[in-house]
Amino acid sequence: MSEHQTRRDQLEAGLGEVRARIAAACADAGRDPAEVTLIVVTKYFPASDVLLLHDLGVRDFGENRDQEAGEKFAEVRAALGEGSGGVVLHFIGQLQTNKASHVAAYADVVQSVDRLRLVSALDRGAHLANRRLDVLLQVDLDTRPDDGATGAARGGLRPEEVLGLADTVAVRDLLRLRGVMAVAPLGADPDAAFVRLREVADGIRQRHPGADWMSAGMSGDLEAAVRHGATHLRVGTAILGSRPSLL
């Protein structure tokens, strides 16, 4: 068996297991699996894996390093040709303001917006590229006192700050406010974290009805995220395996 076929079989098995977990979690929560979008996080993995996953039906992909993502998905889109096979690229990592314009030229969604300067930089980039960009606001769910080692490392707005930035995004003509995202704090109860995120998401949706995305849940806690209303799950390791050596 070729390496290509072996890798395809590995990805198909991992994808099947994750899809089964999502289906079971939705059944337990009384939800329709069609309400939940699986984003496969392909950072550190090659374009060949993205193309195999696309062949297996995946359309949403997540990346968090600007240079890697830009080069990889230029290759992917060139390989897929006109229309790029419906690929949706989510930038999910903490984004430096000076890289925002570049990211706005190739990403379809930026899930990690957490400050006004970044909103302005993405807006400028969207205008330069003449394309619309979907935006999620990243929420910091760490309730521990700030000791310099929590929250800030991953970025994110405090829950009480989210609505103000949502209003700012909503008036930008090429930025489309879609909702919120968060990562459950390390060592914390993910259920409690995602209950808090749902409260924040509901508050935004009351003022901005179109902002109905809630991106939460990864390989280890996707069931908890589904229980509390996640619409998007970000899963890497459970599908692709351990990260390859750092590029």
PDB file of all heavy atoms in Angstrom, residues 85-104:
ATOM      1  N   GLY A  85     -13.005  24.445  -4.427  1.00  0.00           N
ATOM      2  CA  GLY A  85     -13.663  23.309  -3.802  1.00  0.00           C
ATOM      3  C   GLY A  85     -14.465  23.621  -2.560  1.00  0.00           C
ATOM      4  O   GLY A  85     -14.721  22.744  -1.743  1.00  0.00           O
ATOM      5  N   GLY A  86     -14.877  24.884  -2.421  1.00  0.00           N
ATOM      6  CA  GLY A  86     -15.675  25.259  -1.256  1.00  0.00           C
ATOM      7  C   GLY A  86     -14.900  25.351   0.032  1.00  0.00           C
ATOM      8  O   GLY A  86     -15.486  25.389   1.119  1.00  0.00           O
ATOM      9  N   VAL A  87     -13.568  25.421  -0.034  1.00  0.00           N
ATOM     10  CA  VAL A  87     -12.737  25.493   1.168  1.00  0.00           C
ATOM     11  C   VAL A  87     -12.988  26.791   1.923  1.00  0.00           C
ATOM     12  O   VAL A  87     -13.051  27.873   1.337  1.00  0.00           O
ATOM     13  CB  VAL A  87     -11.244  25.383   0.795  1.00  0.00           C
ATOM     14  CG1 VAL A  87     -10.344  25.843   1.936  1.00  0.00           C
ATOM     15  CG2 VAL A  87     -10.903  23.944   0.420  1.00  0.00           C
ATOM     16  N   VAL A  88     -13.148  26.670   3.243  1.00  0.00           N
ATOM     17  CA  VAL A  88     -13.285  27.826   4.133  1.00  0.00           C
ATOM     18  C   VAL A  88     -12.116  27.780   5.111  1.00  0.00           C
ATOM     19  O   VAL A  88     -11.953  26.796   5.850  1.00  0.00           O
ATOM     20  CB  VAL A  88     -14.616  27.797   4.899  1.00  0.00           C
ATOM     21  CG1 VAL A  88     -14.711  28.981   5.860  1.00  0.00           C
ATOM     22  CG2 VAL A  88     -15.794  27.790   3.937  1.00  0.00           C
ATOM     23  N   LEU A  89     -11.295  28.814   5.115  1.00  0.00           N
ATOM     24  CA  LEU A  89     -10.123  28.853   5.976  1.00  0.00           C
ATOM     25  C   LEU A  89     -10.391  29.753   7.178  1.00  0.00           C
ATOM     26  O   LEU A  89     -10.684  30.945   7.020  1.00  0.00           O
ATOM     27  CB  LEU A  89      -8.910  29.358   5.205  1.00  0.00           C
ATOM     28  CG  LEU A  89      -7.627  29.528   6.029  1.00  0.00           C
ATOM     29  CD1 LEU A  89      -7.227  28.235   6.727  1.00  0.00           C
ATOM     30  CD2 LEU A  89      -6.495  30.045   5.166  1.00  0.00           C
ATOM     31  N   HIS A  90     -10.303  29.166   8.371  1.00  0.00           N
ATOM     32  CA  HIS A  90     -10.480  29.888   9.630  1.00  0.00           C
ATOM     33  C   HIS A  90      -9.113  30.166  10.233  1.00  0.00           C
ATOM     34  O   HIS A  90      -8.347  29.230  10.495  1.00  0.00           O
ATOM     35  CB  HIS A  90     -11.282  29.039  10.618  1.00  0.00           C
ATOM     36  CG  HIS A  90     -12.650  28.656  10.155  1.00  0.00           C
ATOM     37  ND1 HIS A  90     -13.800  29.175  10.716  1.00  0.00           N
ATOM     38  CD2 HIS A  90     -13.064  27.779   9.194  1.00  0.00           C
ATOM     39  CE1 HIS A  90     -14.856  28.638  10.118  1.00  0.00           C
ATOM     40  NE2 HIS A  90     -14.436  27.786   9.193  1.00  0.00           N
ATOM     41  N   PHE A  91      -8.798  31.435  10.467  1.00  0.00           N
ATOM     42  CA  PHE A  91      -7.584  31.769  11.214  1.00  0.00           C
ATOM     43  C   PHE A  91      -7.964  31.776  12.685  1.00  0.00           C
ATOM     44  O   PHE A  91      -8.810  32.561  13.117  1.00  0.00           O
ATOM     45  CB  PHE A  91      -7.020  33.127  10.801  1.00  0.00           C
ATOM     46  CG  PHE A  91      -5.619  33.348  11.307  1.00  0.00           C
ATOM     47  CD1 PHE A  91      -4.528  32.952  10.545  1.00  0.00           C
ATOM     48  CD2 PHE A  91      -5.395  33.905  12.557  1.00  0.00           C
ATOM     49  CE1 PHE A  91      -3.235  33.119  11.026  1.00  0.00           C
ATOM     50  CE2 PHE A  91      -4.107  34.072  13.041  1.00  0.00           C
ATOM     51  CZ  PHE A  91      -3.022  33.679  12.282  1.00  0.00           C
ATOM     52  N   ILE A  92      -7.359  30.867  13.467  1.00  0.00           N
ATOM     53  CA  ILE A  92      -7.847  30.649  14.832  1.00  0.00           C
ATOM     54  C   ILE A  92      -6.854  31.062  15.909  1.00  0.00           C
ATOM     55  O   ILE A  92      -7.172  30.981  17.088  1.00  0.00           O
ATOM     56  CB  ILE A  92      -8.211  29.160  15.036  1.00  0.00           C
ATOM     57  CG1 ILE A  92      -6.990  28.262  14.799  1.00  0.00           C
ATOM     58  CG2 ILE A  92      -9.358  28.755  14.119  1.00  0.00           C
ATOM     59  CD1 ILE A  92      -7.244  26.803  15.090  1.00  0.00           C
ATOM     60  N   GLY A  93      -5.667  31.494  15.527  1.00  0.00           N
ATOM     61  CA  GLY A  93      -4.664  31.816  16.544  1.00  0.00           C
ATOM     62  C   GLY A  93      -4.620  33.286  16.872  1.00  0.00           C
ATOM     63  O   GLY A  93      -5.196  34.127  16.176  1.00  0.00           O
ATOM     64  N   GLN A  94      -3.914  33.590  17.945  1.00  0.00           N
ATOM     65  CA  GLN A  94      -3.721  34.987  18.315  1.00  0.00           C
ATOM     66  C   GLN A  94      -3.011  35.690  17.167  1.00  0.00           C
ATOM     67  O   GLN A  94      -2.003  35.201  16.651  1.00  0.00           O
ATOM     68  CB  GLN A  94      -2.910  35.088  19.606  1.00  0.00           C
ATOM     69  CG  GLN A  94      -2.933  36.478  20.223  1.00  0.00           C
ATOM     70  CD  GLN A  94      -2.370  36.484  21.635  1.00  0.00           C
ATOM     71  OE1 GLN A  94      -1.705  35.538  22.042  1.00  0.00           O
ATOM     72  NE2 GLN A  94      -2.615  37.535  22.366  1.00  0.00           N
ATOM     73  N   LEU A  95      -3.542  36.816  16.746  1.00  0.00           N
ATOM     74  CA  LEU A  95      -3.071  37.491  15.539  1.00  0.00           C
ATOM     75  C   LEU A  95      -2.437  38.834  15.879  1.00  0.00           C
ATOM     76  O   LEU A  95      -3.060  39.678  16.520  1.00  0.00           O
ATOM     77  CB  LEU A  95      -4.250  37.690  14.577  1.00  0.00           C
ATOM     78  CG  LEU A  95      -3.970  38.393  13.252  1.00  0.00           C
ATOM     79  CD1 LEU A  95      -2.898  37.675  12.457  1.00  0.00           C
ATOM     80  CD2 LEU A  95      -5.269  38.488  12.443  1.00  0.00           C
ATOM     81  N   GLN A  96      -1.201  39.005  15.416  1.00  0.00           N
ATOM     82  CA  GLN A  96      -0.522  40.281  15.601  1.00  0.00           C
ATOM     83  C   GLN A  96      -1.112  41.309  14.637  1.00  0.00           C
ATOM     84  O   GLN A  96      -1.409  41.002  13.485  1.00  0.00           O
ATOM     85  CB  GLN A  96       0.975  40.121  15.343  1.00  0.00           C
ATOM     86  CG  GLN A  96       1.676  39.177  16.299  1.00  0.00           C
ATOM     87  CD  GLN A  96       3.129  38.956  15.929  1.00  0.00           C
ATOM     88  OE1 GLN A  96       3.698  39.711  15.141  1.00  0.00           O
ATOM     89  NE2 GLN A  96       3.724  37.918  16.493  1.00  0.00           N
ATOM     90  N   THR A  97      -1.235  42.531  15.116  1.00  0.00           N
ATOM     91  CA  THR A  97      -1.853  43.581  14.308  1.00  0.00           C
ATOM     92  C   THR A  97      -1.118  43.792  12.998  1.00  0.00           C
ATOM     93  O   THR A  97      -1.740  43.995  11.946  1.00  0.00           O
ATOM     94  CB  THR A  97      -1.901  44.897  15.108  1.00  0.00           C
ATOM     95  OG1 THR A  97      -2.596  44.669  16.344  1.00  0.00           O
ATOM     96  CG2 THR A  97      -2.619  45.991  14.333  1.00  0.00           C
ATOM     97  N   ASN A  98       0.218  43.697  13.013  1.00  0.00           N
ATOM     98  CA  ASN A  98       0.979  43.967  11.791  1.00  0.00           C
ATOM     99  C   ASN A  98       0.845  42.866  10.741  1.00  0.00           C
ATOM    100  O   ASN A  98       1.299  43.026   9.617  1.00  0.00           O
ATOM    101  CB  ASN A  98       2.454  44.220  12.117  1.00  0.00           C
ATOM    102  CG  ASN A  98       3.158  43.032  12.748  1.00  0.00           C
ATOM    103  OD1 ASN A  98       2.541  42.003  13.013  1.00  0.00           O
ATOM    104  ND2 ASN A  98       4.450  43.169  12.982  1.00  0.00           N
ATOM    105  N   LYS A  99       0.232  41.739  11.099  1.00  0.00           N
ATOM    106  CA  LYS A  99       0.000  40.668  10.132  1.00  0.00           C
ATOM    107  C   LYS A  99      -1.464  40.588   9.690  1.00  0.00           C
ATOM    108  O   LYS A  99      -1.813  39.778   8.836  1.00  0.00           O
ATOM    109  CB  LYS A  99       0.426  39.319  10.727  1.00  0.00           C
ATOM    110  CG  LYS A  99       1.929  39.235  11.005  1.00  0.00           C
ATOM    111  CD  LYS A  99       2.319  37.866  11.519  1.00  0.00           C
ATOM    112  CE  LYS A  99       3.835  37.797  11.736  1.00  0.00           C
ATOM    113  NZ  LYS A  99       4.248  36.458  12.249  1.00  0.00           N
ATOM    114  N   ALA A 100      -2.289  41.437  10.276  1.00  0.00           N
ATOM    115  CA  ALA A 100      -3.732  41.340  10.032  1.00  0.00           C
ATOM    116  C   ALA A 100      -4.095  41.601   8.578  1.00  0.00           C
ATOM    117  O   ALA A 100      -4.970  40.936   8.016  1.00  0.00           O
ATOM    118  CB  ALA A 100      -4.477  42.307  10.947  1.00  0.00           C
ATOM    119  N   SER A 101      -3.443  42.556   7.949  1.00  0.00           N
ATOM    120  CA  SER A 101      -3.777  42.884   6.572  1.00  0.00           C
ATOM    121  C   SER A 101      -3.482  41.712   5.649  1.00  0.00           C
ATOM    122  O   SER A 101      -4.262  41.406   4.742  1.00  0.00           O
ATOM    123  CB  SER A 101      -3.001  44.127   6.124  1.00  0.00           C
ATOM    124  OG  SER A 101      -3.400  44.523   4.834  1.00  0.00           O
ATOM    125  N   HIS A 102      -2.366  41.034   5.897  1.00  0.00           N
ATOM    126  CA  HIS A 102      -2.012  39.872   5.083  1.00  0.00           C
ATOM    127  C   HIS A 102      -3.027  38.751   5.274  1.00  0.00           C
ATOM    128  O   HIS A 102      -3.484  38.133   4.305  1.00  0.00           O
ATOM    129  CB  HIS A 102      -0.604  39.395   5.448  1.00  0.00           C
ATOM    130  CG  HIS A 102      -0.098  38.291   4.574  1.00  0.00           C
ATOM    131  ND1 HIS A 102       0.284  37.058   5.063  1.00  0.00           N
ATOM    132  CD2 HIS A 102       0.059  38.227   3.229  1.00  0.00           C
ATOM    133  CE1 HIS A 102       0.675  36.293   4.059  1.00  0.00           C
ATOM    134  NE2 HIS A 102       0.550  36.967   2.938  1.00  0.00           N
ATOM    135  N   VAL A 103      -3.405  38.482   6.522  1.00  0.00           N
ATOM    136  CA  VAL A 103      -4.376  37.430   6.818  1.00  0.00           C
ATOM    137  C   VAL A 103      -5.726  37.750   6.177  1.00  0.00           C
ATOM    138  O   VAL A 103      -6.403  36.856   5.647  1.00  0.00           O
ATOM    139  CB  VAL A 103      -4.514  37.231   8.339  1.00  0.00           C
ATOM    140  CG1 VAL A 103      -5.705  36.339   8.680  1.00  0.00           C
ATOM    141  CG2 VAL A 103      -3.233  36.635   8.915  1.00  0.00           C
ATOM    142  N   ALA A 104      -6.111  39.008   6.197  1.00  0.00           N
ATOM    143  CA  ALA A 104      -7.400  39.399   5.621  1.00  0.00           C
ATOM    144  C   ALA A 104      -7.475  39.134   4.123  1.00  0.00           C
ATOM    145  O   ALA A 104      -8.572  39.016   3.565  1.00  0.00           O
ATOM    146  CB  ALA A 104      -7.668  40.877   5.888  1.00  0.00           C
TER     147      ALA A 104
END
